[in-house]
Amino acid sequence: MAGSGVHSYHPILNASSGTGYVTTVGGLNSYVSGSHLALFAVVLMSDIFGIEAQNFRNLADKVAASGYYVVAPDLLNNDPFDHNDVNRPLDVWSQDHPPENVSADVKPVIQDLKRRGFSKIGIAGFCWSGLGAADIAKTKLVKAAVLSHPSFVQGNNFRGIKAPVAIYGGQNDTQTPPSRIIEIERVLRDARPEVAYEVKIFPNVGHGWTLLYDPNDPEAVKAADKAHRMMINWFDKHVSELRNLVM
């Protein structure tokens, strides 16, 4: 995935992967990882390949290991994109899964978590679900948001952001190129009232690199892990506020 502007690595889907389990949260089947006794929760929204992708589940487990109760809802209704289905290319598949619907679909999940006692929640969107994360960040439902190589976003999508937001782009991303990320950063910089933000363009990586990486490629794993750690640090700072306590 490193260096590519498009999806060059197709993930392995495995319903048995990960250390978590599948249950219902907010009316949606969800991959859940971490202790229900955790004080803070993170909602991870998948890319087009869904919640059975091994790299995605591994990331959920990694975030959970940092002290969060992680919920990854199946926003695709068990209908992930299948690159082998020649009769249903991405543009056709996308008609059944418009990214504009993501925020409405995930709200019941967040509200369910709040009913369970999680008052501080973070949200992350990847590729297809990035727009949904931006929309949720305009509400008071979450304490922080992270968007990794988000698709379908423009600078205007970030006007009115209320929650601290981090955005990670790729130097070689042709779907959401660096110029788009810079445009978004400009909107966030000029936001009034001010909102905390972090924007980084990672070198030598393409679209989807935080999830669509070959686990046997050390450089790809290293690049993905760096973004994962930055995401967790963002949640530590703005959701659990652990970094603030240390500082």
Side-chain angles (χ1 to χ4, degrees), residues 40-41 68 120-122 143-144 234-241:
F40 313 103
Y68 295 94
K120 294 186 176 183
I121 301 170
K143 293 297 184 181
W234 190 252
F235 290 141
D236 286 349
K237 183 176 182 179
H238 296 287
V239 179
S240 69
E241 301 179 303

Side-chain angles (χ1 to χ4, degrees), residues 26-43:
L28 294 177
N29 283 338
S30 303
Y31 178 76
V32 172
S33 187
S35 172
H36 69 280
L37 298 177
L39 298 177
F40 313 103
V42 168
V43 176

Side-chain angles (χ1 to χ4, degrees), residues 141-222:
L141 290 171
V142 296
K143 293 297 184 181
V146 177
L147 288 71
S148 296
H149 35 81
S151 302
F152 312 109
V153 293
Q154 307 285 340
N156 285 337
N157 295 118
F158 293 84
R159 300 190 187 280
I161 290 287
K162 293 182 174 64
V165 61
I167 302 168
Y168 305 141
Q171 179 185 19
N172 301 331
D173 190 339
T174 58
Q175 295 190 36
T176 307
S179 59
R180 184 82 48 78
I181 301 298
I182 293 170
E183 172 194 349
I184 294 169
E185 182 177 23
R186 189 176 301 117
V187 170
L188 293 171
R189 185 183 63 230
D190 296 338
R192 296 294 182 273
E194 294 183 358
V195 62
Y197 69 89
E198 175 177 76
V199 175
K200 180 173 177 58
I201 298 172
F202 286 71
N204 304 316
V205 295
H207 190 72
W209 91 95
T210 70
L211 295 179
L212 302 179
Y213 61 90
D214 182 349
N216 296 313
D217 181 341
E219 289 301 315
V221 171
K222 182 179 179 181

